[in-house]
Amino acid sequence: MAFYGRKEYWDERYTLSTDPYEWYQSYHGIRHLFDPVNLSAVQGVNPANPRRILEGKDRDFMSHHIVEKHPPKTNFPKRDKCRTLIVGCGNSRLGEDMIRDGWTGGIVCIDWSNTVIEQMQAKYNENFLRKISDESICGNKQAADLVSVTDSRKTPEFSLIEYMCADILEGLPFQDGVFDLIISKGSFDALLSTPGSVANVKKMNQECHRLLDESHGSMVIITNGNPESRLVYLEQPGDDEWWSGIGIHNLSKLQTERRHLIVKDATKFHHAYICRKKAQIRPVA
């Protein structure tokens, strides 16, 4: 599907259909991945002999973990403090659903299609912020507090949710270590369908590594590819090794999804990779 690598394709797609579309999984299908235990405490086993662990009776997925060479130094921040970047957001409701679930630390959504970004900017405007406040979804915060979320590491200030036309491969206008969490839902696979895919995925890894907080930053990738076909792009030996550990989760594919009913197919899976930033040792000047 090489057309996934063409901006013209995405502009046309979003012009023809403005209805929200979720690649692979909705927020509710991946919500458990954002538990601080999953994001900051990747447990290590020998990758040559991985084990699978059922994570609770209420889960329909299994997980195993690649060796964690550097144990986490700090706990992952709470939802109302977490700074999140969504790469390749499209017209997904992911950002909105996260806010409604308490992720109010500031969400930046990027996509290289200017068409969809303009649509999302029009949809998630100040009226949306006021509606969120009026519904008391974000606790006791007032509307004025929701418009901007300030932090000394952010330049400029982050809004509760912001949509930006940008290409992760060209670098983003943010300081190093500004995000706690980066989410890529489908965009990783889209990159793999483009010419120069290996180099492009490497650029994405490098930029995401740069943007993540050094003490606890994590990237969550949702993909259609199994570990045999995806880990080769995430594990780099030597100086290019970006991640201290990678948690691997299987996610049952949805057969149907309604407002209050999700029916899963237990025989088919999407795959999630939780990549925890490896701190870089800087030489003493």
Side-chain angles (χ1 to χ4, degrees), residues 44-53 63-67 227-228 231 248:
V45 299
N46 188 331
N49 186 25
R51 69 186 177 193
R52 290 182 175 272
I53 305 170
S63 73
H64 70 273
H65 302 283
I66 294 175
V67 62
E228 289 73 21
L231 289 179
I248 304 172

Side-chain angles (χ1 to χ4, degrees), residues 234-248:
L234 297 172
E235 298 175 313
Q236 297 290 329
D239 294 338
D240 287 334
E241 190 174 34
W242 304 291
W243 315 113
S244 65
I246 303 174
I248 304 172

Side-chain angles (χ1 to χ4, degrees), residues 209-229:
H209 183 277
R210 180 187 73 80
L211 292 169
L212 284 169
D213 186 284
E214 192 159 300
S215 67
H216 56 253
S218 296
M219 176 169 68
V220 178
I221 298 174
I222 311 299
T223 171
N224 202 39
N226 60 29
E228 289 73 21
S229 66

Side-chain angles (χ1 to χ4, degrees), residues 153-220:
R153 290 169 288 183
K154 299 172 185 173
T155 305
E157 293 181 354
F158 281 8
S159 298
L160 178 66
I161 188 166
E162 176 184 356
Y163 285 85
M164 175 187 301
C165 186
D167 186 347
I168 189 72
L169 302 183
E170 296 179 0
L172 301 182
F174 298 105
Q175 298 175 354
D176 295 356
V178 76
F179 291 103
D180 304 298
L181 174 64
I182 295 178
I183 304 171
S184 168
K185 190 162 70 76
S187 55
F188 193 83
D189 286 357
L191 277 181
L192 287 176
S193 70
T194 62
S197 59
V198 175
N200 288 339
V201 168
K202 183 175 181 178
K203 288 180 182 178
M204 176 180 172
N205 274 292
Q206 289 174 325
E207 180 65 358
C208 289
H209 183 277
R210 180 187 73 80
L211 292 169
L212 284 169
D213 186 284
E214 192 159 300
S215 67
H216 56 253
S218 296
M219 176 169 68
V220 178

Side-chain angles (χ1 to χ4, degrees), residues 11-278:
D11 286 338
E12 181 179 1
R13 177 185 177 120
Y14 293 125
T15 299
L16 295 175
S17 177
T18 60
D19 294 335
Y21 183 83
E22 298 295 341
W23 287 93
Y24 302 154
Q25 298 277 334
S26 68
Y27 170 64
H28 299 289
I30 60 176
R31 182 178 183 271
H32 60 275
L33 299 176
F34 306 134
D35 186 291
V37 173
N38 284 327
L39 291 174
S40 65
V42 179
Q43 302 299 312
V45 299
N46 188 331
N49 186 25
R51 69 186 177 193
R52 290 182 175 272
I53 305 170
L54 183 62
E55 298 193 346
K57 295 181 180 179
D58 59 333
R59 303 283 171 79
D60 64 349
F61 63 91
M62 307 288 284
S63 73
H64 70 273
H65 302 283
I66 294 175
V67 62
E68 174 80 353
K69 300 168 190 166
H70 305 283
K73 299 178 181 178
T74 61
N75 292 328
F76 200 82
K78 295 181 179 180
R79 296 181 185 187
D80 62 346
K81 302 295 183 183
C82 181
R83 305 153 299 166
T84 303
L85 172 67
I86 300 176
V87 178
C89 61
N91 56 16
S92 165
R93 285 174 49 98
L94 178 59
E96 176 183 345
D97 288 341
M98 290 183 70
I99 292 171
R100 292 180 180 277
D101 199 28
W103 296 85
T104 56
I107 299 176
V108 177
C109 305
I110 67 166
D111 200 286
W112 71 346
S113 169
N114 190 61
T115 298
V116 77
I117 290 298
E118 289 180 350
Q119 293 171 358
M120 300 302 272
Q121 287 173 340
K123 180 178 181 179
Y124 295 102
N125 53 26
E126 290 190 10
N127 290 332
F128 168 78
L129 299 180
R130 294 191 186 95
K131 180 181 178 182
I132 287 286
S133 181
D134 291 342
E135 293 175 357
S136 299
I137 293 169
C138 299
N140 295 322
K141 291 187 176 182
Q142 300 298 316
D145 296 328
L146 295 177
V147 175
S148 295
V149 182
T150 60
D151 188 290
S152 61
R153 290 169 288 183
K154 299 172 185 173
T155 305
E157 293 181 354
F158 281 8
S159 298
L160 178 66
I161 188 166
E162 176 184 356
Y163 285 85
M164 175 187 301
C165 186
D167 186 347
I168 189 72
L169 302 183
E170 296 179 0
L172 301 182
F174 298 105
Q175 298 175 354
D176 295 356
V178 76
F179 291 103
D180 304 298
L181 174 64
I182 295 178
I183 304 171
S184 168
K185 190 162 70 76
S187 55
F188 193 83
D189 286 357
L191 277 181
L192 287 176
S193 70
T194 62
S197 59
V198 175
N200 288 339
V201 168
K202 183 175 181 178
K203 288 180 182 178
M204 176 180 172
N205 274 292
Q206 289 174 325
E207 180 65 358
C208 289
H209 183 277
R210 180 187 73 80
L211 292 169
L212 284 169
D213 186 284
E214 192 159 300
S215 67
H216 56 253
S218 296
M219 176 169 68
V220 178
I221 298 174
I222 311 299
T223 171
N224 202 39
N226 60 29
E228 289 73 21
S229 66
R230 292 296 184 267
L231 289 179
V232 65
Y233 299 105
L234 297 172
E235 298 175 313
Q236 297 290 329
D239 294 338
D240 287 334
E241 190 174 34
W242 304 291
W243 315 113
S244 65
I246 303 174
I248 304 172
H249 299 257
N250 291 336
L251 307 167
S252 294
K253 292 186 177 181
L254 302 183
Q255 291 178 319
T256 59
E257 181 175 358
R258 300 184 181 91
R259 179 172 296 181
H260 299 297
L261 175 65
I262 298 177
V263 180
K264 293 180 178 289
D265 184 342
T267 65
K268 298 178 181 179
F269 298 95
H270 294 126
H271 304 273
Y273 302 93
I274 302 179
C275 306
R276 195 171 171 281
K277 181 171 179 175
K278 177 182 178 182

